Amino acid sequence: MYVPAPFAEPDRAVLHEFIRTHPLGALVTGSPSAGLYATHLPLLLDPHRGEHGILHGHIARANPHHERAGDGAEGLVIFTGPEAYVTPSWYASKARHGRVVPTWNYVAVHVVGRVRFIEDRAVLMSHLEKLTDTHEADRAHPWSMSDAPSTFVEQLVRAIVGVEIEIVSLEGKWKLSQNRPDDDVDGVINGLRLSTDASAHAVGEQVA
């Protein structure tokens, strides 16, 4: 990923937290024989395993990704957050010299890692329980795996393949108008916060 210095985020803790709060990643692998292939899947981060952490997920067994990639393949996982168009009309410098153009503000984290596919039932069940508990925890009436009939759960477990990605490297790009003068940044914050679009409003909070 092209990351100019003003937009670089090198802090691993910040990158890990972004993954936790934006867990839907796009796993991309490629090979000379199978070409590029991508799957979007929710991922859990275990920061305590491996040098940089490990991502855990699952895909449908019918998805050919596990066959096209194979164990040990290098994979790229792309996590993205809020994004928004930025009009040059928000820049104070537009009135001063007019040398401004539109752009886009966004946050993204790229993870490169070694991919392994998992068939073990116990590992898959543990992963599904953790995934469910993580995303149900804040609900008034959390759903749990035990709420579904065991025969139904067993049927679904047989229909998935686990994915484990040992992180080799992470890089983050926080493109949030850091390269603009302060009064331009103020204009961007104001413009985004006044937007009725939820994503634009969220970007405004990030810029601030």
Side-chain angles (χ1 to χ4, degrees), residues 138-183:
D138 295 333
R139 297 183 180 276
H141 304 286
W143 183 89
S144 68
M145 296 279 287
S146 61
D147 290 345
S150 59
T151 53
F152 176 70
V153 172
E154 288 291 341
Q155 181 181 0
L156 293 181
V157 170
R158 289 194 295 271
I160 64 173
V161 175
V163 181
E164 182 178 279
I165 304 161
E166 181 182 359
I167 299 174
V168 174
S169 66
L170 303 96
E171 58 180 352
K173 185 173 184 179
W174 266 242
K175 185 181 179 297
L176 299 170
S177 301
Q178 300 98 316
N179 59 333
R180 303 301 310 175
D182 288 346
D183 53 357

Side-chain angles (χ1 to χ4, degrees), residues 16 31 68 101 105 111 144 150-151 154 160 167 185 199-200:
H16 278 182
S31 71
R68 294 174 67 123
V101 293
N105 276 0
V111 171
S144 68
S150 59
T151 53
E154 288 291 341
I160 64 173
I167 299 174
V185 174
S199 183

Side-chain angles (χ1 to χ4, degrees), residues 11 29 35-36 45 72 79 93 95 101 103 122 150 157 159 163 170 179 181 189:
D11 190 322
T29 61
L36 291 171
L45 171 68
F79 297 93
S93 57
V101 293
T103 190
S150 59
V157 170
V163 181
L170 303 96
N179 59 333
I189 292 171

Side-chain angles (χ1 to χ4, degrees), residues 76-94:
L76 168 67
V77 186
I78 302 171
F79 297 93
T80 57
E83 44 77 25
Y85 172 78
V86 175
T87 172
S89 299
W90 291 337
Y91 293 156
S93 57
K94 176 179 181 291

Side-chain angles (χ1 to χ4, degrees), residues 23-57:
L24 185 69
L27 170 62
V28 184
T29 61
S31 71
S33 59
L36 291 171
Y37 201 83
T39 297
H40 296 260
L41 69 166
L43 292 157
L44 290 176
L45 171 68
D46 182 348
H48 306 298
R49 289 183 57 200
E51 183 179 357
H52 303 288
I54 288 182
L55 297 170
H56 298 276

Side-chain angles (χ1 to χ4, degrees), residues 1-3 9 15 108-112 169-174:
M1 176 166 58
Y2 173 58
V3 188
E9 176 51 73
L15 302 181
V109 171
H110 285 196
V111 171
V112 173
S169 66
L170 303 96
E171 58 180 352
K173 185 173 184 179
W174 266 242

